Amino acid sequence: MGGNSPCASCKLLRRRCARDCIFAPYFPSDDPQKFAIVHKVFGSSNVSKMLQELPVQQRADAVSSLVYEANARVTDPVYGCVGAISYLQSQVSELQMQLAVAQAEILCIQMQNVPVVLPANSEMHDLPNYLNFTSSGNVIHRDHSQKRENIFGHDLVS
Amino acid sequence: MISGRCAACKSQRRKCPSDCIFSPYFPPNDPQRFACVHRIYGCSNVGKMLQQMPVQMRAQAVDTLYMEARWRIEDPVYGCVKLISQLHQNLNDTESELAKVKALIAFHKLQISQVNELHQPDLDASQSNVEQFQFNYSTQNHYPWFIN
C-alpha cells in the first residue's frame, strides 16, 4: 500500500508510491527480489500494461505466473520456461511408455492364468497339468473373461 | 538502407545498422514475431538479454522468447505456466497409475507362485483341486484393497 511505505516497485523505480499504485498489492516492500526479477525480464511498464488489462481479481495470479516465468528466464536465459516444458514432456512420455509396458505385462500374466480350452482331439501330454482341462474347462474360461471386465473397470490397454 | 531494415528497426522506426543485434532473428517478412516479443518483453529488455549471451545461443533464445510471448498473449493471466501445471499433473497421474499397475503385477506374480507351490508337492494329485482353486480365485474378489 502507498502512504508511508512504498511498495517494492516504487522503491526500485525511486518514485512516490501512490495510494492507487497498481503494483503495491502484489509487490510488497518486504520482498524486493520479486519485483526486481519481473522488472528485469518484462520491464515495469509492460507489467503495468498487462495488469491494467486484467480484471482486479485475476491480477494476483497473473503476477505469480509472471514471477515464475521471470525466474525461469533468469535461471535459463536461453530456454526459460520452454526448457521446463520440454523436460516435463519427455518425463511424461517416458512414464507413459513404462506404463504401457507394465500394462502389457499384466495382460500377459492374466492370459497365462486363463485356462486354455482345447479341442478334444489335441495332444495334451506336454501341457502342464493345470492347463490340461477337460471340456468342463469351458465354464471356467467363461468365468475368467467375465471377471476380467469386473475387476478392471476401465480399459487397461489404451 | 531503408528497404533492408529488420522487423525490430521497422517497428521502432529507426535505421537498421549493419551490426543490428535483432536483424538475424527478426526478419522484415515476419513483423508479427517481433511485435509479440516487443509487446511482452520490450525491445530494450530483449536487446539486453541477447547481448548477455553467446551469439550461437541467440537464435534459440529468440525462439523461446517468441513462444512464451505468444502463450502470454493468448492467456494473459497464466501464460505458459498453465501448461507447466498441466504437465506436472499428468506426471503425477501417470506415476500413480504406474505404481498401481506395478503393484498388481507383483500381486499376480505372488498368486502364481502360490499356485505353483500348491501344485508342486504332489504332481499326482487330482487336478480338480487346482482347477477349483483357480475357479475360486477367478470368481471371488481377491484383489488387494488398494486396487480400485
Side-chain angles (χ1 to χ4, degrees):
Chain A
M1 297 283 226
N4 291 337
S5 173
C7 68
S9 58
C10 294
K11 261 189 185 172
L12 184 77
L13 299 171
R14 292 195 182 104
R15 63 187 189 196
R16 221 176 116 246
C17 190
R19 262 195 358 204
D20 60 350
C21 173
I22 197 166
F23 298 116
Y26 317 108
F27 296 104
S29 54
D30 58 358
D31 191 359
Q33 188 60 19
K34 190 174 167 184
F35 182 76
I37 207 163
V38 167
H39 175 56
K40 181 175 178 178
V41 175
F42 296 100
S44 66
S45 59
N46 287 335
V47 175
S48 173
K49 276 185 223 165
M50 283 190 240
L51 292 180
Q52 277 169 0
E53 286 167 6
L54 290 172
V56 175
Q57 59 271 25
Q58 289 182 329
R59 289 177 185 175
D61 282 351
V63 166
S64 298
S65 66
L66 286 169
V67 171
Y68 186 97
E69 278 190 45
N71 272 313
R73 184 57 64 174
V74 166
T75 306
D76 186 349
V78 180
Y79 295 101
C81 278
V82 175
I85 290 168
S86 178
Y87 173 75
L88 286 168
Q89 281 174 337
S90 70
Q91 290 292 99
V92 169
S93 293
E94 170 69 28
L95 275 181
Q96 282 174 343
M97 202 167 61
Q98 289 179 24
L99 182 61
V101 168
Q103 285 170 342
E105 187 177 344
I106 207 160
L107 211 58
C108 283
I109 291 172
Q110 286 177 328
M111 286 175 71
Q112 283 168 10
N113 275 348
V114 170
V116 177
V117 178
L118 297 171
N121 293 337
S122 67
E123 293 287 327
M124 294 187 188
H125 304 298
D126 294 329
L127 292 175
N129 284 347
Y130 66 84
L131 286 181
N132 193 356
F133 288 126
T134 60
S135 58
S136 63
N138 285 332
V139 173
I140 296 173
H141 186 264
R142 269 208 300 281
D143 283 336
H144 262 284
S145 61
Q146 281 170 5
K147 197 55 193 168
R148 264 211 301 278
E149 288 168 18
N150 290 339
I151 291 165
F152 303 107
H154 57 279
D155 186 14
L156 272 187
V157 181
S158 55
Chain B
M1 248 188 291
I2 295 173
S3 59
R5 282 190 300 172
C6 69
C9 293
K10 265 191 184 171
S11 166
Q12 301 298 298
R13 293 193 179 99
R14 63 187 182 204
K15 250 181 74 176
C16 190
S18 54
D19 60 349
C20 174
I21 197 167
F22 298 109
S23 61
Y25 320 109
F26 297 103
N29 59 352
D30 191 1
Q32 187 63 16
R33 187 172 158 94
F34 181 77
C36 283
V37 171
H38 174 54
R39 180 173 163 182
I40 301 301
Y41 297 101
C43 181
S44 61
N45 284 339
V46 175
K48 278 184 218 166
M49 281 191 239
L50 293 180
Q51 274 170 356
Q52 286 166 6
M53 64 179 71
V55 175
Q56 60 270 24
M57 307 304 289
R58 289 177 185 175
Q60 194 67 65
V62 168
D63 284 344
T64 60
L65 284 168
Y66 176 48
M67 285 171 76
E68 287 187 36
R70 279 186 61 179
W71 273 317
R72 180 59 60 173
I73 290 168
E74 281 169 18
D75 185 350
V77 181
Y78 297 105
C80 65
V81 176
K82 191 175 209 173
L83 177 58
I84 292 174
S85 175
Q86 284 168 353
L87 285 169
H88 273 294
Q89 188 60 48
N90 284 353
L91 203 60
N92 288 341
D93 292 345
T94 311
E95 274 173 349
S96 298
E97 190 62 31
L98 185 61
K100 271 190 199 174
V101 175
K102 281 186 170 177
L104 205 53
I105 289 171
F107 178 77
H108 271 290
K109 285 184 174 171
L110 182 65
Q111 289 289 321
I112 289 168
S113 68
Q114 285 176 350
V115 166
N116 285 343
E117 276 175 25
L118 196 73
H119 173 72
Q120 203 64 29
D122 192 358
L123 289 174
D124 293 330
S126 71
Q127 64 186 38
S128 62
N129 286 339
V130 176
E131 290 171 12
Q132 189 59 41
F133 176 83
Q134 286 186 308
F135 181 79
N136 288 341
Y137 163 71
S138 68
T139 56
Q140 295 171 32
N141 221 345
H142 285 305
Y143 282 82
W145 59 271
F146 54 82
I147 303 294
N148 291 330

